[in-house]
Amino acid sequence: MNGIEFFHYPWDGGPSLAWGLRVDGVDLRARTAWATRELWRPELRDQFEDQERESAELIWRQHEGLGVLDVPGDPFRGTAGRTAVLGCSCGIPRCGELTAHVEASARTVTWSAFRRPEREQWGELPVGPFVFARAAYEAALRSPTLLTADPLGPAPAGLGV
């Protein structure tokens, strides 16, 4: 089983909060950045003055958590099995989101088939699947940790294209 942690962190430089999450101790935004690095390469090649640093930052910050006030109830149980699990860094709903197929049974919650709907040509991303014990998942969702800052930090060396 995978472990999950939900948290809230300040978003957009103001009093707004975002949902963040870690799977097995790793921020889902970091997992997605590494998984999409090569997919970004054709789009980002030769677009920046400082190619390595600027492309790394764009890839690292391609997603944000979902806005706490924008998402009523449980944001991680969508309809028709697809759920937005991360939003776009621009903050506009449904722009650049990361979706997953979420399936719940009596004992588990499974996230699989991660996609970026606006980039269908990328297909299913090499992230997951993740299987969580349902009781632990629901407990984490009911009691997200409140952080004072975004925990993602700066883009690591070697991520840029």
Side-chain angles (χ1 to χ4, degrees), residues 7-100:
F7 54 87
H8 292 160
Y9 63 93
W11 178 57
D12 203 21
S16 298
L17 295 175
W19 282 96
L21 56 112
R22 292 183 185 108
V23 176
D24 297 332
V26 179
D27 195 304
L28 185 59
R29 295 173 294 171
R31 289 179 182 275
T32 303
W34 286 106
T36 60
R37 178 181 182 269
E38 291 303 317
L39 296 168
W40 279 109
R41 185 178 295 279
E43 292 182 44
L44 300 180
R45 185 174 287 129
D46 302 325
Q47 286 194 13
F48 301 108
E49 189 172 311
D50 182 351
Q51 185 65 32
E52 176 67 23
R53 184 187 59 77
E54 292 180 55
S55 65
E57 194 63 30
L58 185 145
I59 294 167
W60 192 243
R61 297 269 174 208
Q62 68 186 293
H63 289 110
E64 281 292 343
L66 300 173
V68 170
L69 297 179
D70 297 333
V71 184
D74 180 349
F76 303 104
R77 287 195 190 120
T79 58
R82 296 235 40 101
T83 299
V85 294
L86 291 175
C88 183
S89 59
C90 75
I92 298 172
R94 297 195 175 265
C95 173
E97 64 189 8
L98 177 69
T99 65

Side-chain angles (χ1 to χ4, degrees), residues 69-158:
L69 297 179
D70 297 333
V71 184
D74 180 349
F76 303 104
R77 287 195 190 120
T79 58
R82 296 235 40 101
T83 299
V85 294
L86 291 175
C88 183
S89 59
C90 75
I92 298 172
R94 297 195 175 265
C95 173
E97 64 189 8
L98 177 69
T99 65
H101 177 81
V102 178
E103 185 176 328
S105 72
R107 296 173 30 153
T108 62
V109 176
T110 302
W111 289 11
S112 61
F114 289 83
R115 293 183 176 275
R116 293 217 32 191
E118 86 291 356
R119 286 187 161 76
E120 278 300 318
Q121 71 275 18
W122 286 5
E124 188 174 320
L125 300 177
V127 177
F130 304 117
V131 180
F132 311 106
R134 185 167 181 164
Y137 181 94
E138 290 180 350
L141 190 55
R142 280 191 308 270
S143 301
T145 304
L146 180 58
L147 304 176
T148 59
D150 183 345
L152 188 60

